[in-house]
């Protein structure tokens, strides 16, 4: 309906000599704090300088230009000071909104803005030969949601998991395995044993040995490559088990190792274009005149860095996919790296460098407010977090339904645990540091994933008790009904804003607000047996559909019965 308001305003503004696009007008339209001031309001302050008149007078003149409002859409359009207030024809609006949701179902809220365009989303990217820890969880959750949001807007999305599978740490690992490794332990629990080896080898006295081993790896030494492939396969197998439990799929698994040889070509290209210079035996790109630090692209021993491999990967991806946008969902601690990396691409003459975006996120914090990445020097494992959350979900479910079957319990507790973890993250602005508190995340009350799932299940229980649904008519609407209808109508706009701002929190907060409004409606408006029964049942059905669409964008599954 905001588009209809914008359409009226655009025509009136054109007559006043002001040419604004529809989306520009939509960005100016506000929702008043209470319904007495209308359903939508257009402030005229920004037009005052251009039209050389007071905002109050501009509002009056715009109202005159609009003339008779379409009765099917608006009951009234009024001026109040510098505002133009639009009052919807509520019956028509409610009928239209509910009809759209019920008709379009899982496609309600979809857009075609991305039709024919490709977006690459690189996310998760854990390190090979290390357990999947909490450090990569935020990237996994946020990146997956962004991919879902872009796909919902019509983009062809390529989800890439770019593994940390090359670099000096593999020199440490190969050296460590040769010195401390056990074939028996590797076969029994490969990730645990590789971590033990890495910790032992990651000491100053072994630095020279590690560099020598990595140089051999880069030069293609067969034994080194054999060990590297073995470690990589063990890790990838472990990661895929976790992704499967999360319900997350990738289109491409690749890694730094794929660009080792191409990184050499990048070094030559940088030299040929006069972008690099030699400094203390290494090759660097001087970025100081752009307000950035100098970036190293080749070490003194001739080995490449992940910055060089990132350059090779970006160029390779553009050749393969001709993307509209490439998103790197990586922690904020890598901000400088991406600024340097994008600037070097630009200096190399790649105009599409401006379409590469670093989507950063903050840290998880523990109860004391410190970075929640390690505890007493030990990695916090994702499997341990998920196991603990599932256990808490199980207790909450049994508390509410002691007769639940084992099969039903196992299915529900995983879905609820994932909703708790995912929503507990996504409801926050991604750039903020956030407290990681599983007990709060798993609560069935308040601003949590399980609360939203419970609201969906509650709506389902109403529909199960209902008689066969008939064609509905809309009579006089109560305030809570129109509030729910309005919120449903705002879903497409929430999706567009989430994509534009690269912010899944917009969808998460929308989901919670929608659930809250539905629960208020549920408590104040009788559904079955009321005069508005057919319409209210359709409204409940619409709520379930929109909430399901919304949660799906967050990577969260609904639960039919709690």
């Amino acid at each position: 309906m905001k588009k209809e308001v914008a359409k009226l305003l655009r025509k009136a503004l054109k007559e006043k000599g002001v040419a604004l696009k529809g989306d520009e007008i939509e960005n100016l339209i506000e929702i008043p704090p209470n319904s007495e001031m209308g359903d939508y309001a257009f402030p005229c302050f920004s037009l005052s300088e251009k039209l050389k008149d007071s905002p109050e007078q501009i509002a009056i003149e715009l109202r005159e230009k609009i003339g008779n409002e379409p009765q099917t859409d608006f009951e009234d359009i009024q001026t109040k000071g510098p505002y133009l207030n639009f009052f919807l024809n509520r019956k028509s609006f409610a009928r239209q909104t509910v009809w759209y949701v019920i008709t379009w179902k899982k496609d309600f809220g979809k857009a075609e803005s991305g039709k024919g365009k490709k977006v690459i989303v690189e996310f998760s990217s854990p390190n090979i030969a290390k357990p999947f820890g909490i450090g990569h969880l935020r990237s996994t959750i946020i990146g997956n949601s962004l991919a879902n949001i872009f796909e919902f807007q019509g983009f062809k999305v390529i989800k890439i998991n770019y593994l940390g599978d090359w670099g000096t740490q593999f020199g440490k690992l190969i050296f460590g395995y040769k010195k401390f490794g056990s074939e028996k332990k590797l076969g029994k629990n490969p990730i645990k044993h590789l971590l033990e080896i890495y910790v032992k080898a990651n000491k100053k006295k072994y630095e020279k040995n590690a560099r020598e081993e990595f140089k051999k790896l880069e030069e293609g030494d067969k034994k080194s490559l054999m060990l590297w492939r073995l470690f990589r396969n063990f890790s990838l197998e472990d990661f895929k088990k976790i992704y499967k439990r999360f319900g997350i799929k990738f289109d491409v698994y690749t890694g730094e190792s794929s660009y080792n040889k191409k990184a050499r070509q990048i070094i030559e290209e940088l030299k040929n274009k006069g972008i690099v210079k030699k400094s203390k035996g290494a090759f660097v790109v001087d970025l100081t005149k752009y307000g950035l630090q100098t970036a190293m692209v080749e070490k003194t021993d001739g080995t490449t860095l992940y910055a060089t491999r990132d350059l090779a990967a970006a160029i390779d991806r553009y050749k393969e996919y001709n993307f509209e946008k490439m998103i790197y969902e990586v922690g904020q601690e890598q901000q400088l790296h991406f600024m340097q990396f994008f600037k070097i691409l630009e200096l190399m003459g790649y105009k599409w460098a401006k379409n590469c975006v670093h989507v950063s996120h903050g840290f998880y914090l523990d109860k004391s407010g410190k970075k929640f990445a390690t505890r007493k020097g030990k990695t916090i494992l994702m499997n341990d977090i998920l196991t603990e959350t599932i256990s808490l979900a199980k207790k909450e479910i049994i508390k509410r339904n002691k007769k639940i079957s084992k099969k039903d319990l196992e299915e529900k507790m995983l879905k609820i645990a994932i909703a708790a973890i995912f929503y507990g993250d996504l409801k926050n602005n991604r750039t903020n540091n956030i407290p990681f508190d599983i007990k709060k995340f798993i609560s069935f009350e308040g601003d949590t994933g399980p609360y939203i799932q419970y609201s969906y299940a509650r709506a389902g229980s109403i529909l199960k008790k209902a008689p066969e649904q008939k064609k509905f008519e809309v009579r006089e609407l109560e305030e809570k009904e129109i509030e729910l209808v309005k919120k449903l109508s705002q879903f497409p706009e929430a999706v567009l804003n989430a994509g534009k701002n690269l912010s899944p929190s917009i969808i998460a907060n929308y989901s919670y607000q929608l659930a809250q409004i539905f629960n208020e409606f549920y408590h104040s408006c009788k559904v079955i047996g009321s005069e508005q029964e057919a319409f209210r049942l359709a409204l409940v059905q619409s709520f379930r559909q929109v909430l399901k669409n919304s949660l799906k964008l967050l990577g969260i599954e609904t639960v039919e019965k709690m």
Side-chain angles (χ1 to χ4, degrees):
M1 192 52 72
K2 190 187 264 193
K3 289 190 183 297
E4 297 302 317
V5 174
K7 197 186 291 183
L8 287 177
L9 286 165
R10 190 181 182 191
K11 187 181 176 186
L13 286 165
K14 195 175 181 181
E15 289 181 31
K16 291 279 292 173
V18 179
L20 287 178
K21 294 178 182 177
D23 58 349
E24 290 176 311
I25 297 170
E26 283 183 48
N27 288 335
L28 293 171
I29 294 169
E30 298 175 359
I31 296 174
N34 63 68
S35 57
E36 290 175 8
M37 299 168 72
D39 297 296
Y40 294 99
F42 181 74
C44 299
F45 303 103
S46 60
L47 301 171
S48 190
E49 188 177 342
K50 186 173 280 191
L51 295 172
K52 307 299 180 188
D53 212 338
S54 69
E56 292 82 356
Q57 186 58 35
I58 293 167
I60 292 167
E61 290 176 12
L62 284 177
R63 178 65 190 91
E64 288 171 358
K65 295 289 184 189
I66 289 171
N68 293 329
E69 66 274 2
Q71 292 298 312
T72 53
D73 292 329
F74 304 99
E75 287 180 354
D76 198 6
I77 303 173
Q78 302 174 358
T79 60
K80 187 165 184 179
Y83 288 90
L84 199 55
N85 297 327
F86 295 79
F87 294 80
L88 296 175
N89 179 324
R90 294 186 168 195
K91 288 182 185 178
S92 175
F93 174 58
R95 187 184 305 111
Q96 192 179 53
T97 301
V98 171
W99 184 85
Y100 276 140
V101 177
I102 290 172
T103 302
W104 290 101
K105 296 184 173 66
K106 64 183 175 64
D107 292 328
F108 179 74
K110 275 190 175 180
E112 293 192 351
S113 55
K115 195 173 181 181
K117 300 172 185 174
K118 293 176 184 173
V119 170
I120 291 175
V121 184
E122 180 195 299
F123 64 103
S124 193
S125 306
N127 295 315
I128 292 296
K130 292 182 183 178
F132 194 119
I134 197 169
H136 291 275
L137 180 57
R138 290 208 77 187
S139 175
T140 305
I141 295 171
I142 297 168
N144 182 59
S145 183
L146 285 171
N148 292 340
I149 290 165
F150 276 106
E151 194 169 18
F152 205 62
Q153 292 180 337
F155 290 90
K156 165 66 178 171
V157 178
I158 300 100
K159 295 184 280 188
I160 295 180
N161 196 337
Y162 186 68
L163 304 166
D165 67 350
W166 204 252
T168 309
Q169 70 268 29
F170 285 93
K172 293 176 184 178
L173 199 62
I174 291 167
F175 167 75
Y177 184 73
K178 287 177 178 177
K179 186 170 180 65
F180 309 111
S182 159
E183 193 174 329
K184 186 179 178 183
K185 284 183 179 179
L186 188 69
K188 190 176 179 182
N189 194 330
I191 306 304
K192 184 183 176 184
H193 186 50
L194 289 173
L195 183 62
E196 288 170 351
I197 290 165
Y198 184 80
V199 170
K200 286 180 181 178
N202 191 23
K203 291 178 180 174
K204 198 170 183 179
K205 63 180 178 179
Y206 298 133
E207 278 182 9
K208 187 182 176 185
N209 305 84
R211 283 197 299 272
E212 287 170 357
E213 288 292 349
F214 180 56
K215 190 166 175 49
K216 282 162 65 178
L217 184 64
E218 283 223 311
E219 290 169 351
D221 178 72
K222 287 183 180 179
K223 188 174 181 182
S224 299
L225 281 170
M226 183 193 73
L227 286 172
W228 170 81
R229 286 193 192 98
L230 186 67
F231 301 158
R232 190 182 191 276
N233 290 340
F234 277 134
S235 294
L236 196 51
E237 189 180 325
D238 193 62
F239 296 155
K240 284 182 176 180
K241 286 176 185 175
I242 293 169
Y243 294 132
K244 188 177 180 181
R245 295 185 86 185
F246 280 159
I248 292 174
K249 293 179 181 177
F250 291 91
D251 299 298
V252 179
Y253 280 94
T254 183
E256 293 179 57
S257 61
S258 304
Y259 300 98
N260 180 40
K261 289 181 182 176
K262 289 179 182 178
R264 296 267 162 227
Q265 296 167 14
I266 294 298
I267 298 291
E268 291 308 308
E269 186 178 345
L270 288 166
K271 287 175 183 176
N272 293 336
K273 289 179 177 178
I275 296 169
V276 293
K277 66 178 185 178
K278 206 157 191 179
S279 175
K280 296 178 182 177
F283 279 98
V284 300
V285 181
D286 185 359
L287 299 173
T288 51
K289 63 181 174 182
Y290 305 105
L292 298 170
Q293 293 174 19
T294 297
M296 189 186 293
V297 291
E298 185 180 272
K299 293 180 184 179
T300 53
D301 63 359
T303 56
T304 58
L305 295 90
Y306 70 92
T308 331
R309 294 187 283 276
D310 270 357
L311 290 167
I315 294 164
D316 193 57
R317 289 173 189 177
Y318 189 77
K319 285 177 184 174
E320 185 172 354
Y321 299 109
N322 190 25
F323 54 77
E324 179 78 11
K325 191 187 288 286
M326 179 155 63
I327 292 166
Y328 295 85
E329 210 307 321
V330 183
Q332 62 189 14
E333 67 275 17
Q334 292 294 322
Q335 188 172 355
L336 175 62
H337 163 71
F338 282 104
M339 289 169 74
Q340 292 173 320
F341 161 38
F342 298 157
K343 177 53 73 173
I344 295 170
L345 281 174
E346 189 185 315
L347 294 173
M348 292 173 80
Y350 296 109
K351 292 179 181 178
W352 46 265
K354 66 181 184 296
N355 299 327
C356 297
V357 184
H358 173 212
V359 175
S360 65
H361 60 259
F363 299 118
Y364 282 133
L365 304 177
D366 61 20
K367 290 177 183 177
S368 64
K370 293 180 181 177
K371 184 182 171 184
F372 192 35
T374 57
R375 185 186 291 153
K376 294 179 183 177
K378 293 182 180 178
T379 302
I380 296 166
L381 307 182
M382 195 56 243
N383 269 326
D384 293 343
I385 292 169
L386 195 52
T387 300
E388 182 187 348
T389 314
I390 288 170
S391 175
L392 290 169
K394 183 179 179 180
K395 287 176 186 175
E396 289 290 337
I397 296 165
I398 293 171
K399 195 193 296 180
R400 285 163 172 76
N401 183 3
K402 291 182 171 61
K403 294 181 180 178
I404 190 168
S405 69
K406 187 179 177 183
K407 183 184 176 184
D408 206 15
L409 176 63
E410 285 178 2
E411 183 186 331
K412 282 186 173 64
M413 63 192 193
L414 179 59
K415 286 183 181 179
I416 291 169
I418 289 170
I421 295 169
F422 281 26
Y423 183 81
D425 186 312
L426 294 173
K427 72 177 183 178
N428 301 280
N429 184 313
R430 59 175 168 76
T431 59
N432 292 345
N433 294 335
I434 61 171
F436 191 86
D437 190 335
I438 287 297
K439 288 184 180 176
K440 281 188 179 178
F441 289 0
I442 203 68
S443 174
F444 277 56
E445 296 172 3
D447 189 5
T448 68
Y451 166 81
I452 297 170
Q453 285 178 315
Y454 180 72
S455 302
Y456 178 88
R458 170 179 270 178
S461 68
I462 296 171
L463 295 176
K464 282 175 187 173
K465 294 172 189 172
E468 188 178 337
Q469 291 188 47
K470 303 170 187 174
K471 189 176 179 181
F472 66 83
E473 289 181 19
V474 184
R475 301 183 185 183
E476 289 305 315
L477 291 161
E478 291 188 24
E479 197 57 40
K480 292 301 176 187
E481 288 176 288
I482 195 66
E483 277 185 35
L484 184 52
V485 170
K486 277 185 187 177
K487 200 66 190 177
L488 293 171
S489 75
Q490 291 165 16
F491 178 59
E493 185 182 358
V495 175
L496 287 173
N497 286 336
K500 187 163 60 176
N501 295 292
L502 301 170
S503 180
S505 65
I506 292 172
I507 300 293
N509 293 324
Y510 171 86
S511 303
Y512 175 59
Q513 291 160 13
L514 180 63
Q516 271 189 314
I517 292 168
F518 167 74
N519 285 315
E520 288 169 8
F521 157 80
Y522 173 83
H523 287 298
S524 66
C525 299
K526 184 180 179 183
V527 178
I528 298 171
S530 69
E531 290 184 2
Q532 284 263 62
E533 182 182 281
F535 169 69
R536 287 180 179 172
L537 285 171
L539 186 55
V540 172
Q541 185 182 338
S542 300
F543 160 73
R544 269 171 59 89
Q545 186 64 63
V546 174
L547 188 62
K548 187 171 188 173
N549 293 1
S550 186
L551 290 176
K552 190 174 181 184
L553 296 179
L554 304 177
I556 295 171
E557 289 188 66
T558 51
V559 177
E560 292 299 320
K561 187 180 176 183
M562 299 284 269

